[in-house]
Amino acid sequence: MKFSVLSLIGHAPHPLTGELPSAAQRFREVIGSAEAAERLGFDAYAVGERHTGPFLSSSPGVVLGALAARTSTIRLLTGVTVVAILDPVRVAEDFATLDQIARGRIELVVGKGAEAGHFGLFGLDEERQWDLQREKYELLRRLWTEEGVDWEGEFRPPLKNVTTVPRPYAGPPRVWHGSATSLASPELAAKHGDPLFTANAVQPREAYARLIAHYRERFEAYGHDPARARVAAGSGGLLIADTTEQAVTRYKDLYEAGVARSFKPHLEGRAGYNTPFRTIEDAIAHGPQLIGSPQRIIDKILGYHAVYRHDLQSITVDGFGLPHGEQLETLQRFAEEIAPVLRREAASTLWE
């Protein structure tokens, strides 16, 4: 198994103290976390894209450019690139430039995004979100694999004999398809023989297992070798203590205040927006949150792997309001006490 760290660069008041760091401080923390992740042996670091809500990740390519300059070996991912609202020509140019700077370390995770508000922000119809996603991704794919592209579609002016520059560093970067609630993303990934990145962050395991099973079934139906189907899985956040009982004592108020703060009543019942695991005990027992002792977290991830057969596990340490120093300690504990066991028990050839 391989491991990635994800930041959505949240920027909300602390759920217990109300303190709000400056934007500049949050960006410094993200850069420091990426440097630490590389030093600790994580395989990848990912930056999300959000245009609404309490986040600072509206320009992930800019942040990843800073990370490319401060790291040398760790892979740099998006999480996700909201291709449905973007111009594929701009995406092709921006991330090929970044891929050159990073010497081929860039991979995209594309999706239509988790916050519906961004469609209106960019003057787009949310009802057409999957049509936008499909058309724009397929154009991006052509721009990175072909030169002299002639193209005509519904959502942007036609192209005639277009070759975007620069070209990617060493061929098209790998593109994962982010999947949280709909079968549309697994279907698109399977059609093109691409890997799937399931959110695994809010809902019970069965919801994500359904998406992955559909992906694997359709991947083979489209004529691709099932051995080439790659899957990654996210998580609902990471909190480590020496024992699970200590984790409950240490983090109960923090976790439950954060869940209460992020709950969106107007979206209740819509999968992917509100976690049903409102208490820390429920999250530990049944949710995708990684909370507890190192062994409890190992067992939970191996339980997901038994169902998902995933190659890459993504973790998030900055979503609960931990001080940055404690975030770095959490990354170190995961790298030293959890990752070696999982690499041995669930080996993967991804990136080898």
Side-chain angles (χ1 to χ4, degrees):
M1 188 175 291
K2 310 299 184 184
F3 301 99
S4 178
V5 180
L6 167 68
S7 178
L8 297 175
I9 321 184
H11 193 232
H14 190 280
L16 295 177
T17 68
E19 295 179 0
L20 181 67
S22 69
Q25 179 179 336
R26 284 294 293 121
F27 286 122
R28 284 197 300 271
E29 291 173 354
V30 169
I31 292 170
S33 294
E35 291 175 314
E38 179 173 84
R39 184 171 63 251
L40 291 167
F42 283 87
D43 302 283
Y45 194 94
V47 176
E49 180 179 342
R50 294 288 180 91
H51 296 273
T52 61
F55 301 96
L56 299 174
S57 51
S58 60
S59 299
V62 176
V63 180
L64 289 172
L67 302 189
R70 299 288 289 269
T71 61
S72 59
T73 59
I74 197 168
R75 287 168 177 81
L76 302 173
L77 277 61
T78 59
V80 300
T81 296
V82 189
V83 71
I85 64 173
L86 304 174
D87 181 352
V89 174
R90 183 81 262 183
V91 174
E93 294 172 339
D94 284 349
F95 285 98
T97 300
L98 186 54
D99 196 44
Q100 289 285 347
I101 293 170
R103 297 293 192 269
R105 292 187 285 137
I106 298 301
E107 298 190 11
L108 264 64
V109 183
V110 300
K112 58 90 179 171
E115 296 290 340
H118 53 229
F119 287 96
L121 180 65
F122 285 85
L124 299 169
D125 182 1
E126 183 186 353
E127 295 298 320
R128 303 295 307 281
Q129 58 185 301
W130 292 114
D131 298 324
L132 287 157
Q133 175 77 1
R134 181 177 60 255
E135 179 180 298
K136 292 188 176 189
Y137 168 66
E138 290 179 345
L139 175 54
L140 173 64
R141 181 184 179 89
R142 288 193 60 192
L143 291 170
W144 269 350
T145 57
E146 302 175 28
E147 299 183 2
V149 173
D150 294 332
W151 177 90
E152 186 170 345
E154 183 179 357
F155 298 111
R156 61 149 291 137
L159 302 175
K160 181 68 175 177
N161 193 30
V162 169
T163 301
T164 56
V165 291
R167 307 306 290 162
Y169 179 73
R174 190 194 310 259
V175 178
W176 303 74
H177 293 256
S179 173
T181 59
S182 171
L183 295 177
S185 286
E187 184 73 23
L188 190 60
K191 175 182 176 181
H192 293 290
D194 296 330
L196 184 74
F197 206 122
T198 184
N200 196 50
V202 176
Q203 298 299 312
R205 179 172 62 185
E206 293 73 22
Y208 303 108
R210 169 177 168 266
L211 301 175
I212 295 170
H214 180 84
Y215 165 70
R216 292 190 184 279
E217 176 186 342
R218 298 298 294 157
F219 191 94
E220 187 171 4
Y222 277 114
H224 304 297
D225 179 358
R228 291 181 51 244
R230 298 287 192 181
V231 172
S235 67
L238 174 67
L239 298 169
I240 305 175
D242 290 341
T243 68
T244 298
E245 292 73 22
Q246 288 177 7
V248 171
T249 301
R250 167 70 177 84
Y251 297 118
K252 181 177 178 63
D253 290 344
L254 184 65
Y255 173 83
E256 293 176 9
V259 169
R261 181 191 65 189
S262 63
F263 184 74
K264 304 176 179 67
H266 65 290
L267 294 174
E268 190 168 10
R270 290 183 62 179
Y273 287 91
N274 293 311
T275 180
F277 306 108
R278 307 296 296 278
T279 69
I280 194 170
E281 292 86 356
D282 197 19
I284 291 171
H286 306 293
Q289 294 79 8
L290 303 175
I291 303 172
S293 68
Q295 188 60 54
R296 183 68 178 249
I297 292 168
I298 289 169
D299 291 343
K300 178 169 279 191
I301 293 175
L302 287 177
Y304 280 108
H305 184 264
V307 178
Y308 298 168
R309 292 180 286 143
H310 59 305
D311 300 277
L312 174 62
Q313 176 67 55
S314 174
I315 63 169
T316 303
V317 296
D318 63 356
F320 290 123
L322 295 180
H324 188 238
E326 193 168 347
Q327 294 175 28
L328 299 183
E329 292 172 2
T330 301
L331 288 178
Q332 182 169 348
R333 290 201 70 173
F334 188 94
E336 294 178 352
E337 302 176 47
I338 296 173
V341 178
L342 295 171
R343 290 188 192 277
R344 182 178 64 250
E345 297 296 323
S348 170
T349 59
L350 177 68
W351 294 327
E352 294 179 0

